Each structure stands twice: as structure tokens, then as C-alpha cells.
Amino acid sequence: GGCMGEIVGMAASLCKQHDATPRGVYEQHLNELQELMRRGVGRNPEASPDYENQGEGKRRRGRAMVIAKPAWLAQAGPNLAIRAKASVPNGGLLNDGKADVADNSGRWLGRGPLPHDIEFTWEKPVTIGAARIVSGFSDGAVTAPIADFALQWYDGAKWRDVAGAKAVGNREPSWSQAFNSVTAVKMRLRISKTKDDTARIWEVEFYGPVAGKESARD
């Protein structure tokens, strides 16, 4: 009974997402229903397709989307974010190493009054010299990335802005920046503007220093 109820709920969500009848879902979107059944519900409680009412449209199928990698990536150290713990509910989606922009259910969603603060904490100090943030909504193209935000590091007494790691009016789904490296046990992403006051993020990545960049002196 419980399992059948979940399947019916999944089918109903696809009816809403595609503006289709139950028969239309089974005839045209069976593969999506099977994928939902395979994953099960509850991976991300906020991943339901509620965006039609926000003007973002419906996800189109059959168009692969690839997010470009930053030029500095080959000279950077490893992605250290994977070892961090995020401070927000469902924060594991932020640093699970997956940035599949074709899969809206793989995102972390943050709603409510701005700013949104996300802290990443490591067990031991790490040295970070670059970052990448993949954000937005997948609708055949990726739209509505987080717009205004800044990266900060904790110096042991207070939060300090990472020089050069700030965006105003960002329109890039894959924002990235190399900067003078900082060493800390905590990093913070502070989001101050985003569409509908909702942050939609597939992945936050922090990398070791990029070859040629100096460490922060101040």
C-alpha cells in the first residue's frame, strides 16, 4: 500500500510537471517515472517540480547540457569541499561531487529571507586557492543562478572576505574564480540576491591553490 502510494504520487508530480494526463505520463514519460521509482522519494524533500508558478517553465527533454570547466582547473589542487561538512539541512547535496545540471533533483534549495549563509567546516585547516559554484534551474538551458554572493573565510576570530571572490549580478551558472590562497577550517558562502529569494545550487567546490597564485598576506 505504501509503495503504491509513493508511485501514484510520483506519477502525479509528473502530470503536473508536464501538464499531462496519467495516460500521457505512462505513454510519453515512462522513463522519468521509472527513474523516480529507482531513486525513491525523500532524497531531496525540496526537489518537487514546483517551478511552473515561478515562471521558470518546464524542463525540456533530449538536450544535453555541459557546464564548461574553468581554465585554471588543470593547475589547481584537489577539490577539498568533498571533505567538508555543510551547515544547512540537506547540505550534503552541495558537496557530493556531482554537478549534473540536467538533474534538478540533485540541487540544494535554500528558501527564506536573505542573506543565506552556508558554512563549510573541515576537521583540520585546509588551504584554498580557487572555487566554483554551479547553480540555477535546468529548463533545456540553465537559468536563474545565484546573483549576488561572496566567499568568506574564518581567521579564527572573525569572518573575512576572500579577495576577488565576490559576484554582483552574476549570470553564469558555473561561476568560478582563482584567488590568493587562504588557510582556514571554515569557509562561508553568503548569498544576498537570487531569483525569488530561493538559492538553487548543484555544487560548491573549493580547490587547493592554483599554480602561480600567492598566499594571502593580510
Side-chain angles (χ1 to χ4, degrees), residues 71-188:
W72 49 255
L73 188 60
Q75 286 76 45
N79 177 14
L80 301 169
I82 293 176
R83 292 162 33 197
K85 183 177 181 179
S87 62
V88 291
N90 299 314
L93 290 170
L94 288 163
N95 58 340
D96 59 5
K98 300 175 183 178
D100 180 4
V101 296
D103 181 9
N104 282 325
S105 70
R107 302 168 306 167
W108 173 83
L109 302 181
R111 295 187 174 97
L114 295 166
H116 296 159
D117 287 335
I118 307 170
E119 294 181 19
F120 296 85
T121 304
W122 289 263
E123 292 184 357
K124 297 180 180 180
V126 293
T127 300
I128 295 170
R132 184 174 79 135
I133 301 171
V134 182
S135 65
F137 175 79
S138 172
D139 182 22
V142 181
T143 61
I146 56 175
D148 295 0
F149 56 90
L151 290 178
Q152 300 174 322
W153 65 289
Y154 191 68
D155 69 1
K158 62 181 180 180
W159 289 101
R160 305 174 64 177
D161 290 341
V162 176
K166 182 178 181 179
V168 177
N170 173 57
R171 300 181 67 179
E172 294 294 329
S174 180
W175 175 92
S176 63
Q177 184 66 52
F179 42 79
N180 290 341
S181 60
V182 297
T183 299
V185 293
K186 290 184 180 181
M187 296 287 289
R188 182 165 73 178

Side-chain angles (χ1 to χ4, degrees), residues 56-73:
E56 293 177 324
K58 302 163 188 172
R59 178 178 167 188
R60 303 185 187 98
R61 296 183 49 75
R63 298 173 64 184
M65 290 169 286
V66 178
I67 294 294
K69 294 181 179 180
W72 49 255
L73 188 60

